[in-house]
Amino acid sequence: MKRRTSLLIAGAAAVGMTAFTATSSTAAPVQGFNIKNVAAKKCLKFNGFDKRVTAVKCRTSDPKQNWAPNPGEQIISAASSSTWGPCLTTHKPTGGYVYAKACNADGRKWSLSWSVGSFHDGDKTIYGNPVARCFLKVTAKGNVVCTPGHRTTRKWWVADYN
C-alpha cells in the first residue's frame, strides 16, 4: 500500500509539472502600446534589465518599445513576463534616470508606482511617480528622466497603439 501511495504522489507531481510547463509556455503575450513623448516625438525603449530606458525613433512593431499597465500602478514592458517585468522605475525619493527593473525590485531604493491620466490611444497626459515625487520626461539630449514639476512640454506623453 505504501508503494502505491508513493507512485500515486509521484504520478500526480509529474502531471502537475507537465501542466505547469504547458501553461507557462503558451501564455499570451501582454498587449502593449508605445509611450511617445509629445515634444521629442520619440518612444520609450526597454534595453534590458537594470539598464536605462531610452527615447528612440518610434516603431510600434518593436516589442521593446511596447509597454502596458500592470497591477499596482506599475508600467511593464510588453516584451517580457507580467510577473518579473521589467517594470518602469526610478530612484526614491528624488527620481533621476529611468530604468527597467524587475517588478519586485527593492522598494526601499526604487519606485515602480506611476500615476497616469489616460492610457487611451492618442490622449495627451503626464506620467507621474508619486513616491519619487517626479514626472517622466525626455531631456534635450534625449535622456529619459523623472524630475520634479511638470510645466514643460517635454513631460507630455501619448499612448500610441498604431
Side-chain angles (χ1 to χ4, degrees), residues 27-104:
V30 177
Q31 292 297 329
F33 53 87
N34 284 33
I35 300 175
K36 183 177 182 178
N37 185 268
V38 173
K41 299 193 182 345
K42 293 191 174 187
C43 293
L44 298 184
K45 182 178 180 183
F46 161 63
N47 296 298
F49 276 95
D50 300 325
K51 295 192 177 176
R52 287 185 193 169
V53 172
T54 54
V56 298
K57 182 179 178 180
C58 297
R59 286 189 26 224
T60 53
S61 62
D62 182 356
K64 291 185 176 187
Q65 289 186 35
N66 288 304
W67 300 86
N70 202 37
E73 298 182 336
Q74 296 175 338
I75 298 172
I76 190 167
S77 171
S80 286
S81 161
S82 61
T83 304
W84 298 106
C87 281
L88 208 56
T89 187
T90 192
H91 285 279
K92 277 178 149 178
T94 57
Y97 288 110
V98 175
Y99 290 84
K101 294 272 188 190
C103 295
N104 62 352

Side-chain angles (χ1 to χ4, degrees), residues 37-40 150-157:
N37 185 268
V38 173
H150 58 75
R151 298 189 189 270
T152 172
T153 58
R154 293 197 168 272
K155 292 190 178 181
W156 286 100
W157 302 84

Side-chain angles (χ1 to χ4, degrees), residues 109-134:
K109 183 176 179 183
W110 300 99
S111 175
L112 294 103
S113 179
W114 296 91
S115 177
V116 180
S118 173
F119 289 110
H120 294 286
D121 192 23
D123 281 1
K124 192 168 101 171
T125 190
I126 57 172
Y127 284 62
N129 190 305
V131 177
R133 299 186 302 272
C134 61

Side-chain angles (χ1 to χ4, degrees), residues 140-162:
K141 292 183 178 183
N143 294 315
V144 179
V145 296
C146 196
T147 59
H150 58 75
R151 298 189 189 270
T152 172
T153 58
R154 293 197 168 272
K155 292 190 178 181
W156 286 100
W157 302 84
V158 295
D160 184 3
Y161 290 86
N162 297 319

